[in-house]
């Protein structure tokens, strides 16, 4: 039930990526509408690949530790992909510009088409590799007739299922953590460039070096987070990671402005960021066991999509906070130099606002209920139920 979405969606996603890079000669008004439509297509097709791809991880293994290893590898490879994208794009543009007779427009178009083809190809290779490893769709019985629903009916069904999903305490906690962290991902990411430019006065070259080091550290930290989680508990890594993440922002306020401060912050930031991205979906996979026991459904896709939905809510709020925060500290985009009070305001805003939000995430993470022992007990209950055995309601209530 995952592979058809990934295989078809990835081709459309690849086309959307290519179209974002291709400049079409048309009036500015028409061009604005065109790119709004293409941008919407990009995000819809991205989602059609990402949600089933992440959900597939839950179905490839029900082992508590193996799921963590899977997500550690996924986050590490995501970091490698990010490094390639940030470092290779301009190289590709220059290559295609020279190839097509010095046309920079053709250079960007060639780069977009290359990325589109690579993304579609890699998603489809993934689908080929996992063929026959994905369980059969439990919602499709033999000779079953698929019901067709209108857009309104589909939305109503989604809302009903989402309401049922929110009754799962573990999922509610993950969504709150996810919402808080993604406010900070956008807020902190948006303000970090201002910190490097106006507080630390780094030029473009030095700023690029910082982001290169950050990318490498994120990859290493993802593997480190997975290793620690397998030696302890996922909730420990999640809570600890969010706490370290908060500390990485606070240090900008309290430590002197120096290269040493930046690189200490980068280490802590990478540990916190990677711990979150490694654990959030691994823990989401585990939380579905509650619904499996209660109803027999496997709501992996629903849980992944809800996390993605609140991720976007957090990103949107974080973007809004960047703009409002910069206005409050008196930042002027037109000024060649910012005042001392504005520069100090940027420093305080970057250090305090994200840390305050992350403290909420840290406190909530401590309340996450599913430990390795509890998950294995719930898995045994689920297997017993599948085998037709009676389930002790008192034991189940105690565990969930």
């Amino acid at each position: 039930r995952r592979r058809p979405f990934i295989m078809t969606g990835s081709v459309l996603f690849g086309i959307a990526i290519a179209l974002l890079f291709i400049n079409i000669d048309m009036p500015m008004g028409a061009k604005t509408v065109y790119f709004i439509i293409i941008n919407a297509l990009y995000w819809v097709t991205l989602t059609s690949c990402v949600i089933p791809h992440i959900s597939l991880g839950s179905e490839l293994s029900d082992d508590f530790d193996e799921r963590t290893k899977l997500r550690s590898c996924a986050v590490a490879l995501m970091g490698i992909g990010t490094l390639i994208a940030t470092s290779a794009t301009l190289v590709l543009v220059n290559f295609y510009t020279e190839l097509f007779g010095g046309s920079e427009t053709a250079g960007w178009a060639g780069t977009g088409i290359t990325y589109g083809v690579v993304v579609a190809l890699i998603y489809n290779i993934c689908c080929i590799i996992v063929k026959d490893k994905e369980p059969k769709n439990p919602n499709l019985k033999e000779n079953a007739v698929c019901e067709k629903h209108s857009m309104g009916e589909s939305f109503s069904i989604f809302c009903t299922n989402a309401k049922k999903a929110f009754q799962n305490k573990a999922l509610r906690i993950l969504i709150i953590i996810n919402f808080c962290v993604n406010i900070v991902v956008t807020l902190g990411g948006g303000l970090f460039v201002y910190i490097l430019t106006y507080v630390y006065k780094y030029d473009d070259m030095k700023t690029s070096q910082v982001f290169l080091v950050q990318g490498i550290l994120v990859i290493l930290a993802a593997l480190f987070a997975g290793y620690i989680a397998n030696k302890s508990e996922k909730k420990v890594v999640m809570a600890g990671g969010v706490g370290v993440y908060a500390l990485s922002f606070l240090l900008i306020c309290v430590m002197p402005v120096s290269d040493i401060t930046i690189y200490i912050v980068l280490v802590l930031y990478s540990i916190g960021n990677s711990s979150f991205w490694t654990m959030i979906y691994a823990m989401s996979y585990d939380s579905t066991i509650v619904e499996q026991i209660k109803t027999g459904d496997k709501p992996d896709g629903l849980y992944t999509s809800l996390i993605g939905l609140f991720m976007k809510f957090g990103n949107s709020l974080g973007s809004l906070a960047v703009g409002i925060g910069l206005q409050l500290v008196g930042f002027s985009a037109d000024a060649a130099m910012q005042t001392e009070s504005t520069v100090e305001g940027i420093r305080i805003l970057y250090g305090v606002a994200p840390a305050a939000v992350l403290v909420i995430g840290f406190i909530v993470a401590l309340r996450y209920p599913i430990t390795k022992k509890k998950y294995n007990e719930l898995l045994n209950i689920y297997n017993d139920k599948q085998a037709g055995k009676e389930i002790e309601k008192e034991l189940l209530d105690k565990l969930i």
Side-chain angles (χ1 to χ4, degrees):
R1 58 175 173 170
R2 313 296 180 195
R3 291 170 67 251
F5 280 98
I6 301 170
M7 295 179 79
T8 306
S10 63
V11 174
L12 297 174
F13 183 35
I15 293 170
I17 291 170
L19 290 174
L20 280 174
F21 282 74
I22 296 174
N23 182 36
I24 299 177
D25 188 18
M26 62 177 76
M28 185 54 67
K31 186 175 285 191
T32 301
V33 173
Y34 169 79
F35 277 106
I36 288 173
I37 293 171
I38 296 303
N39 190 47
L41 176 66
Y42 169 88
W43 285 107
V44 169
T45 53
L46 167 67
T47 304
S48 73
C49 302
V50 168
I51 298 298
H53 178 253
I54 294 173
S55 304
L56 182 61
S58 174
E59 300 189 325
L60 295 178
S61 174
D62 60 7
D63 183 86
F64 189 84
D65 291 329
E66 198 167 60
R67 286 171 164 180
T68 305
K69 292 176 183 177
L70 188 153
R71 287 308 308 164
S72 298
C73 291
V75 174
L77 289 168
M78 184 170 67
I80 293 171
T82 301
L83 275 180
I84 292 172
T86 53
S87 59
T89 298
L90 291 180
V91 175
L92 280 174
V93 171
N94 290 333
F95 169 77
Y96 283 116
T97 298
E98 292 180 12
L99 185 66
F100 293 108
S103 170
E104 194 170 334
T105 298
W108 281 102
T111 301
I113 292 169
T114 299
Y115 280 145
V117 170
V118 168
V119 167
L121 183 63
I122 289 177
Y123 264 122
N124 277 273
I125 289 173
C126 165
C127 289
I128 291 169
I129 291 172
V130 300
K131 187 178 180 181
D132 300 326
K133 293 183 174 63
E134 180 185 11
K136 290 184 179 180
N137 188 343
N139 300 319
L140 296 179
K141 297 178 181 178
E142 192 174 350
N143 301 321
V145 178
C146 294
E147 295 182 49
K148 292 184 178 181
H149 301 285
S150 67
M151 186 68 76
E153 289 173 332
S154 296
F155 182 70
S156 177
I157 291 169
F158 172 79
C159 289
T160 300
N161 290 334
K163 184 178 179 181
K164 184 167 64 174
F166 276 110
Q167 295 173 6
N168 185 335
K169 179 182 177 182
L171 179 66
R172 289 200 307 271
I173 287 174
L174 291 177
I175 284 176
I176 294 171
I177 300 168
N178 172 57
F179 179 66
C180 292
V181 169
N182 276 282
I183 291 174
V184 171
V185 165
T186 311
L187 175 59
L191 291 174
F192 192 48
V193 175
Y194 292 87
I195 289 290
L196 296 178
T197 304
Y198 296 104
V199 177
Y200 284 78
K201 300 186 179 355
Y202 285 179
D203 58 19
D204 290 347
M205 181 62 71
K206 200 159 186 179
T207 298
S208 297
Q209 290 174 358
V210 168
F211 283 112
L212 175 63
V213 171
Q214 183 186 75
I216 295 170
L217 288 173
V218 164
I219 296 167
L220 297 175
L223 300 175
F224 174 72
Y227 174 79
I228 296 299
N230 283 327
K231 296 295 182 181
S232 57
E233 291 285 353
K234 293 178 188 179
K235 68 176 286 185
V236 172
V237 175
M238 174 64 91
V242 172
V244 170
Y245 204 13
L247 183 61
S248 74
F249 289 97
L250 279 175
L251 288 183
I252 289 291
C253 285
V254 299
M255 289 186 70
V257 176
S258 70
D259 292 347
I260 293 175
T261 297
I262 282 295
Y263 286 102
I264 290 173
V265 165
L266 285 181
V267 171
L268 297 178
Y269 170 93
S270 301
I271 292 172
N273 184 275
S274 292
S275 294
F276 167 77
W277 289 113
T278 303
M279 293 300 109
I280 186 64
Y281 290 115
M283 293 166 79
S284 169
Y285 296 163
D286 300 336
S287 68
T288 62
I289 190 67
V290 175
E291 191 65 37
Q292 288 177 245
I293 293 171
K294 286 183 176 180
T295 65
D297 293 337
K298 283 181 61 64
D300 313 85
L302 175 64
Y303 283 22
T304 302
S305 64
L306 286 172
I307 287 173
L309 183 63
F310 279 86
M311 187 182 298
K312 299 308 175 190
F313 288 157
N315 294 152
S316 300
L317 188 56
S319 296
L320 181 64
V322 170
I324 293 174
L326 289 174
Q327 285 184 349
L328 289 174
V329 300
F331 178 81
S332 173
D334 298 325
M337 295 279 292
Q338 304 298 324
T339 66
E340 286 187 21
S341 62
T342 296
V343 172
E344 187 61 24
I346 291 172
R347 187 181 181 188
I348 294 171
L349 179 64
Y350 178 85
V352 175
V357 176
L358 288 172
V359 166
I360 298 172
F362 171 76
I363 293 170
V364 173
L366 294 175
R367 297 178 59 82
Y368 182 75
I370 299 179
T371 60
K372 182 176 181 178
K373 179 182 178 182
K374 185 174 289 188
Y375 172 80
N376 287 329
E377 289 175 344
L378 289 168
L379 185 61
N380 288 335
I381 290 173
Y382 172 72
N383 290 332
D384 287 346
K385 186 177 180 181
Q386 291 295 101
K389 296 181 181 179
E390 283 291 327
I391 304 300
E392 295 182 26
K393 188 175 182 305
E394 295 78 11
L395 175 61
L396 182 59
D397 291 342
K398 182 181 177 181
L399 288 172
I400 61 176

